Amino acid sequence: MSTLKIGIVGYSGQKFDITTANQLLSTGIAQAIAHGPEGATVEIVSGLTNLGIPALAYQLAADIGWTTVGVACAKAEQYDCYPVDRRVIVGNEWGDESATFLGECDVIVRVGGGKQSLDEVAAYIANGGVAYQYDLAALPV
């Protein structure tokens, strides 16, 4: 059986409407699954932290029983991390892990996000990857 690795990027530290974010995330994941091979097992790959969009994606994956993978730099370990099934630490600075993260993904879903999320998706698409993107308004802090 094949595995479909869905990369999730989006806001981590920024506040946003959680209900809307969950709806967009579910829509994007459904589109990503439709993009993949029929009957594939699903892995959710994100930035390891238990914050923002990654946390929502990991919780969704856990609720369904999908495998979770966290790809991040060493700085992420200074934050609350989701207890993923597989952890990949690359480099020491934010962004050091980007190439490894992109290499782990068969398709990407972006919900909101800042510069790093946008840069990763642009690089992924430039290299022929498929990404489903959803803008999400940031809320005032």
Side-chain angles (χ1 to χ4, degrees):
M1 182 178 287
S2 61
T3 300
L4 177 66
K5 296 180 286 185
I6 303 173
I8 305 291
V9 298
Y11 295 127
S12 288
Q14 185 69 43
K15 300 292 182 206
F16 54 84
D17 182 83
I18 292 174
T19 301
T20 302
N22 273 319
Q23 291 169 344
L24 295 173
L25 196 56
S26 293
T27 298
I29 289 172
Q31 284 191 296
I33 290 170
H35 166 82
E38 189 172 331
T41 58
V42 174
E43 277 186 11
I44 295 296
V45 183
S46 198
L48 183 60
T49 59
N50 196 18
L51 302 165
I53 298 299
L56 297 178
Y58 286 143
Q59 189 57 59
L60 175 66
D63 290 347
I64 295 172
W66 293 334
T67 299
T68 54
V69 179
V71 181
C73 70
K75 277 189 177 177
E77 295 179 311
Q78 299 169 13
Y79 295 84
D80 180 24
C81 292
Y82 192 87
V84 293
D85 297 304
R86 185 166 57 93
R87 180 184 285 224
V88 180
I89 303 297
V90 180
N92 295 311
E93 298 298 325
W94 301 115
D96 288 353
E97 76 285 357
S98 290
T100 300
F101 168 74
L102 296 177
E104 288 277 335
C105 301
D106 296 319
V107 58
I108 289 181
V109 174
R110 178 187 63 79
V111 177
K115 182 178 179 350
Q116 184 169 340
S117 294
L118 296 171
D119 288 350
E120 286 174 343
V121 170
Y124 193 71
I125 292 170
N127 286 314
V130 173
Y132 298 98
Q133 301 188 67
Y134 304 90
D135 291 329
L136 177 65
L139 299 178
V141 178

